[in-house]
Amino acid sequence: MKKTLLMAAATLMVPGTLTLASTKASLETLLEEARSAEYVVPPANSILQAQEGFRQWLAADNRREGARDFKALGYEAVSLSESDIVALTEEEEARLGRGLFVARLEGGAPLLIQAPHQYFDLRTGTLARQLFTESDAMAAAWNTTHRYQSDDTDLVHIADSYLHALSRAFADVHPEGRILQLHGYSRAKRESRAGREAQAILSDGSSYPPKALAQLTACLSERLDIRALLYPSDVRELGATTNTLATDLRRRDFDGFVHLELDADLRKRLVNDADARNTLIQCVTETAP
């Protein structure tokens, strides 16, 4: 975190636990400060440690206390100005691009929101922040290094990462929950007529998406008055077929993964329209498996 933020922080030191900063930064500010110029691939044992830490964190009655296992991984917990949220962010001297993660201090609907390409897919990072803070979603996650910084910085196309670890932990704690992963695309770059006409494309990375995903597609089409299409029955592009996180979750029989591609106009509309965001969340929760 920046020196100005650190100077304002009062910390509570508890032996053997994570330092909890009482800075009261906003989530928007924390996301800006968390960006890293590099991504260092975590060793396998670090990812396993993070996965167990995330599992305990999400399952904890008090997630402020449940964050204690992350100090050894170079993370600090930050209390946000959004008073019911605690964030896990990399310490300034340990920024390795592993991501920023937030959760409600307690409870929350079994929904994990992700923006793994926030610096490339315009407005998806902002939209994820808005959807999380305005809803009762349990947790959210963002990448903190640009997906094209190097060959191994795209968190949903590399073999494993802290984002994968969080997703597995969430699936363990809430096997019937939902993971909403936000992406953006340009309609002009699509190869098919269906792709060029779509405003949203939904998939789970497979050729046989669950019924609940078809129901979500129909809900978005009707309530947002958009052309939302389901892969592969309605459109044969942007199906998340190379998304390693989707593949990992399918292997674990988790049916709640939603890969949501949004065209530029719809992303802009959602960022600017709180009612549209509320409709999106309602559709996601009402059609959950």
Side-chain angles (χ1 to χ4, degrees):
M1 300 172 63
K2 291 182 178 178
K3 291 183 178 179
T4 54
L5 188 58
L6 287 173
M7 290 174 64
T11 58
L12 175 64
M13 297 297 295
V14 181
T17 66
L18 184 68
T19 299
L20 181 64
S22 59
T23 304
K24 301 300 182 185
S26 70
L27 178 53
E28 182 177 9
T29 298
L30 200 64
L31 282 165
E32 292 173 356
E33 295 179 344
R35 184 167 183 171
S36 174
E38 64 175 346
Y39 177 71
V40 178
V41 178
N45 64 331
S46 172
I47 295 176
L48 287 174
Q49 185 178 350
Q51 181 175 330
E52 178 57 22
F54 284 134
R55 190 191 65 76
Q56 294 183 20
W57 187 48
L58 295 176
D61 292 331
N62 184 331
R63 296 191 183 99
R64 192 192 307 273
E65 300 299 325
R68 62 182 177 270
D69 293 328
F70 287 85
K71 178 66 176 177
L73 296 173
Y75 272 81
E76 64 176 330
V78 179
S79 292
L80 298 176
S81 56
E82 298 90 346
S83 59
D84 67 332
I85 298 170
V86 62
L88 286 171
T89 186
E90 291 179 311
E91 295 175 340
E92 185 175 15
E93 64 276 13
R95 289 211 180 125
L96 305 175
R98 293 167 292 178
L100 185 145
F101 314 100
V102 300
R104 301 231 121 67
L105 289 176
E106 58 184 26
L111 173 62
L112 167 60
I113 300 170
Q114 301 177 343
H117 297 154
Q118 67 164 325
Y119 308 121
F120 186 76
D121 291 356
L122 185 64
R123 297 189 176 93
T124 55
T126 298
L127 179 57
R129 173 175 56 80
Q130 293 172 319
L131 291 173
F132 176 71
T133 56
E134 294 169 1
S135 72
D136 191 34
M138 178 175 292
W142 294 260
N143 65 310
T144 50
T145 302
H146 196 287
R147 66 177 298 191
Y148 291 131
Q149 185 71 27
S150 65
D151 291 339
D152 56 9
T153 54
D154 187 336
L155 296 184
V156 296
H157 289 105
I158 57 177
D160 209 356
S161 71
Y162 274 37
L163 184 63
H164 290 70
L166 173 66
S167 302
R168 291 191 291 265
F170 178 84
D172 286 343
V173 175
H174 291 287
E176 296 184 357
R178 252 192 173 156
I179 296 176
L180 177 65
Q181 191 177 97
L182 302 175
H183 295 269
Y185 70 98
S186 168
R187 293 168 69 178
K189 295 181 179 179
R190 302 281 50 87
E191 297 178 357
S192 65
R193 179 176 178 179
R196 290 189 294 272
E197 293 180 348
Q199 294 165 276
I201 297 175
L202 291 86
S203 65
D204 73 339
S206 77
S207 298
Y208 302 98
K211 181 180 180 180
L213 195 54
Q215 293 170 337
L216 174 56
T217 305
C219 185
L220 294 177
S221 293
E222 178 181 351
R223 297 195 195 176
L224 287 176
D225 191 24
I226 61 172
R227 187 170 176 78
L229 302 182
L230 178 64
Y231 177 93
S233 57
D234 302 327
V235 62
R236 304 286 296 185
E237 299 181 75
L238 300 178
T241 56
T242 60
N243 188 303
T244 56
L245 191 147
T247 302
D248 189 19
L249 291 171
R250 278 200 310 278
R251 283 198 299 261
R252 297 167 185 274
D253 296 323
F254 180 76
D255 294 329
F257 178 72
V258 178
H259 184 274
L260 178 58
E261 291 274 4
L262 303 165
D263 86 328
D265 289 340
L266 183 53
R267 276 174 277 149
K268 185 175 181 180
R269 173 189 168 191
L270 287 166
V271 165
N272 292 324
D273 186 342
D275 288 339
R277 294 194 297 273
N278 183 56
T279 296
L280 171 56
I281 286 293
Q282 285 181 344
C283 283
V284 169
T285 56
E286 290 175 11
T287 63

